[in-house]
Amino acid sequence: MKRRKLNVSKMLALGLLIAYSTHIEANISNEPTGIQQNNTYKVSGIITDTNGEPVIGASIVEKGTSNGTITDLDGKFVLEVSAGATLNISYIGYKSQEVKIDRNGLSLKLTLKEDTETLNEVVVVGYGTVRKADLAGSVAVMDNKSFKDQPVTRISEALQGRVSGVQVENSGVPGGDIRIRVRGANSVNLSNEPLYVVDGIVREGGLSGLNTDDIKSIQVLKDASSTAIYGSRGANGVVLVTTKTGVAGQTQITFDASVGVSNVYKHYDMLSPYEYADAYNFWYPGNGYSDSELEALRTGKKGINWQDEMFRSGLVQNYKLALSGGSEKTQYYVSANYVNEQGVLRYSDNERYSARVNLNSEVTKWLTVTTDIQFTHGVRNGNTYIASKGNPIFNSLNYDPTMDMFTEDGKYNVGKNTTGGNPLAAIEATDNELRTYAATGNLSLRFKIIDGLTFTTTNAFDYQDNKSYSFSSAKAGPTAISSMGNSDAFRMMLQSTNNFTYMKKFGKHNLTATAVWEATSTEYRNMNIGGNNLSTEAVGWWNVNMAGTKTLGNSYSRETLLSGVGRVIYNYNDRYTLTATFRADGSSKFSKNKWGYFPSIAAAWDISNEPFLEDFHAIQNMKLRASYGIIGNQGISSYSTLGLLGQAYTNYGTSSQLYYGYWPTSLPTPDVTWEKTKQFDLGLEFAVWNQRLSFSFDYFYKRTVDCLMQEPIPGYNGGGNYLANVGRIENKGIDFSINARLIQTKDWQWNSTLTGTYLKNEVKSLGTNEYIYGKTPADKMADESTIVMPGYSIGSFYGYIWEGISEDGKNVYADLNNNGSIDAGDRTVIGNANPDFTFGWNNTVNYKNWDLSMFLTGAFGMDRMNLVRYAMSTSISDASFINTKEAYEYNWDVNPENAKFASLLNGGTNYANSTQWVENASYVRLANLSIGYTFPKSKTKFADIRLSVSCQNLFTITKYKGMDPTASAFTDDSSKSVDVSSGVDIGGYPTPRTFTFGVKMNF
């Protein structure tokens, strides 16, 4: 079992020790609390553990009152109490003590002993909690101590590298999209996002907007035994977030503020405008630059540094305030958070406001009422930066640096040697704003029926309304026209969960049984309007009637899910545990086969509790776990299995009049049913060195069958596609976690956690499809760059094998089909965007009032297709000349002996989707380095104050030639192609280096 030592870091303890009673004025300065009565006794003392180390933050409360204090950094306290009072001394993980105060001036020296019952950690699982000793499934647990002293603004940042089996990919855009995968991607056409559950309530909008300071712990359910209780929703893993609540007798006020300055830490080494023009004259002297133009570029009178024009220093502000406390009957927690992120790309920023209130009240001995409400409002400005040639980052790195920014009539100019739109105009002459309004809330009633039996009914809502606005000025280009657009996407989810739980211990038998009935309904409403050729631009996007042409649309959908759940956890003598789970889900998305059934079973053996090991002390807490189960996926749209009609129009004869009608847009597929994932897990846990070094290893094997995919219809039969249960996908691998308390003395502490995951993903079958292409990232430049094909993983790159440059300066590609020419038949799988191995290493070192934290993360065995470098190094239609010094210095025309790039004049075909541009993107990154110092309340007289400075993404070690090996320009996820089309760098928003300065005050 996990043991909490009393000599843990004083600084970590300071984050937890503000534990006042409801009306306590905590006093760490060894002064009386100020109870002025005639018959009072002054008592002082020191609290230590069994090793003689001081207990920091132990609670000393006069029994029956709110009068109390806590121990300081040396374990000492002073308190005035009523004559003859009884003191209650307590600390988490240790047995409480009561001491009678029978005289004035009493000096106490008390030793707290570990409470073995309390040290049985309670782990949050689906629809309840269990002792860690009773846990048979694979559940990763991370408490807020892992990240609370680091400047984390989003939960995804906290998960990356800190939880084994979890991979996080961030778009980099302030407030932008993230991608979280638990043990790999299971599906080709459906979403692979895990299920997010906050305090038992499903969050369909993910974890965006959640204040990281509100988090108490995060549990990631990884195997089928733990996720099967969520049935059709748990196929991709489950992320459970438990938020903070008030604590009886402890009033706490916390204020946390930080400001960070960020910048792009790596730029491409570009040709200057003069070097660009000079090189252009070398290759194309008949159509080059005049002497006067060259002189203006040489002296700096003309020319554009596009990286300077597009990028800037960013600013991140984060302010958090929390108040909590309460009595034995009622507890409260109130928090507020404001985040303002100004991105490193100009005109990209994000603001977020959030507030949360949690109340818990024991109304009677048999009824407890809990309510939790959270509101979030976000405003995000800037482009979407998706993977396409229109991405302004991609455009700017390939644009003509010799041009004038504006035409004579004040419009944004286009380059001489480029065909795309002006990249600065894309962010400066256009405006994109997304306003998000979100609220979640729940009301829970917990009834104690008889001893051991409770009934809890929880009714909740999850509301989100996204309002998008866009405007583009006619000044965006010489031939540009003005346009505007508004859209509104509304979602409301209602959930009712009714839970019977029975917990009882009979001698050596421990039983927990859970039965749940749950109903969920989700409604979607969408509206959009747009227009072109505005008669005036003065009102921006606000008056569609100003548009010469208009478009509009709206849609509505609704889906429901009914679920019945049963789970039994049986433990015998703290040695053998058996868990059986069964869930039945009925989904409105399916026509005939609405119900899916998802069983699982798990067993665990606590080997260390066996009598034959009672005298063997080298290994502690050894447990062997095994589980198997089936989980489902229903991630299709609401009416996918129905035959749907869409509007069509035509004209007759020579008449231009259009006649509207309807025709089928999708075929009915009433027999389609659930996609299923079968998973086996085998785990081993143990500790050594008196539990100061603990290990957890898991082998997992997931097999997804009956994949929900689109099957092709032969052209002779009308063509098109239909939804079917076909295909098989496998994920297997090992994840591990190693926790170490390397140094534990009075002044020095060093805690370290290492996590790692090895994962192999493989597509076994695609039904009648031989392959499925990913989304085209750059039309006419890099078609069909990714592919899904049996025998390979999702996220495989597809293209040509580049063999070098011929003697006459041309690219040479492998002729795989031996037909004497290079054609589509010579394409093959040339790389993989998914890493083979990911790791995270988190360290916290404390010396007295100083604390230092260092977090490294990395990935190995992954590739990126660098289309940015391809476009900058070749003459293609979209960027008709080279831009980088590397492309000039190592071109065959300039340096044939050391050429990396084919001739611009005689290079022949130059494929973007070739091994020449697929690069090793493995990396190791120092994701965070923080140092802090805490001034205790005994010195400041009003609060514990921690000052800190930190740096995120201090350095990255990689062979990748792009700006950032982790930068991802996601494809439009409406096609669910994020995993299929991942890993293509076509202007990914770079992860910045950020220096953050912070102050945290605990009152």
Side-chain angles (χ1 to χ4, degrees), residues 248-438:
Q250 299 181 13
T251 299
Q252 183 172 342
I253 303 174
T254 303
F255 176 72
D256 190 349
S258 64
V259 177
V261 179
S262 56
N263 58 74
V264 178
Y265 62 88
K266 180 181 179 181
H267 291 276
Y268 282 102
D269 191 8
M270 311 290 282
L271 293 170
S272 70
Y274 172 75
E275 291 169 336
Y276 178 96
D278 190 51
Y280 192 88
N281 280 358
F282 168 76
W283 267 286
Y284 308 109
N287 188 33
Y289 295 82
S290 66
D291 291 341
S292 61
E293 288 176 318
L294 286 172
E295 180 62 17
L297 292 168
R298 187 186 67 80
T299 58
K301 294 180 180 179
K302 287 187 63 175
I304 299 171
N305 185 322
W306 281 108
Q307 292 186 99
D308 287 348
E309 291 289 339
M310 300 294 288
F311 294 105
R312 65 180 178 184
S313 293
L315 184 67
V316 181
Q317 301 175 69
N318 193 1
Y319 305 96
K320 294 174 280 190
L321 176 67
L323 302 88
S324 64
S327 63
E328 292 184 7
K329 296 291 185 180
T330 302
Q331 302 86 43
Y332 64 89
Y333 182 94
V334 181
S335 70
N337 181 212
Y338 171 72
V339 178
N340 188 322
E341 301 173 90
Q342 295 180 9
V344 292
L345 188 75
R346 293 176 64 188
Y347 303 102
S348 64
D349 56 74
N350 179 62
E351 279 188 292
R352 188 183 76 216
Y353 308 80
S354 65
R356 175 174 170 261
V357 177
N358 175 275
L359 296 173
N360 184 78
S361 180
E362 185 180 339
V363 180
T364 68
K365 292 183 178 180
W366 50 268
L367 174 61
T368 300
V369 178
T370 301
T371 186
D372 189 287
I373 300 176
Q374 177 182 327
F375 299 95
T376 303
H377 172 52
V379 182
R380 190 176 83 192
N381 292 289
N383 202 289
T384 56
Y385 315 105
I386 63 174
S388 73
K389 290 191 296 185
N391 186 325
I393 298 176
F394 170 81
N395 250 351
S396 68
L397 295 171
N398 290 283
Y399 223 66
D400 184 352
T402 66
M403 58 177 276
D404 294 320
M405 184 66 76
F406 298 98
T407 62
E408 292 181 358
D409 59 353
K411 292 188 175 185
Y412 283 89
N413 209 351
V414 294
K416 175 179 180 179
N417 304 311
T418 45
T419 59
N422 188 304
L424 186 59
I427 62 173
E428 194 170 61
T430 64
D431 198 0
N432 295 276
E433 181 177 282
L434 173 64
R435 289 182 169 267
T436 299
Y437 303 86

Side-chain angles (χ1 to χ4, degrees), residues 528-575:
N528 61 83
I529 56 173
N532 297 321
N533 285 319
L534 306 179
S535 59
T536 177
E537 297 186 1
V539 295
W541 55 57
W542 282 119
N543 194 341
V544 71
N545 290 322
M546 297 290 185
T549 59
K550 306 177 184 68
T551 59
L552 55 89
N554 63 348
S555 64
Y556 173 88
S557 65
R558 185 170 179 264
E559 57 195 45
T560 57
L561 185 72
L562 295 178
S563 307
V565 183
R567 178 178 60 202
V568 175
I569 303 174
Y570 169 73
N571 178 282
Y572 173 72
N573 202 21
D574 286 336
R575 297 183 202 169

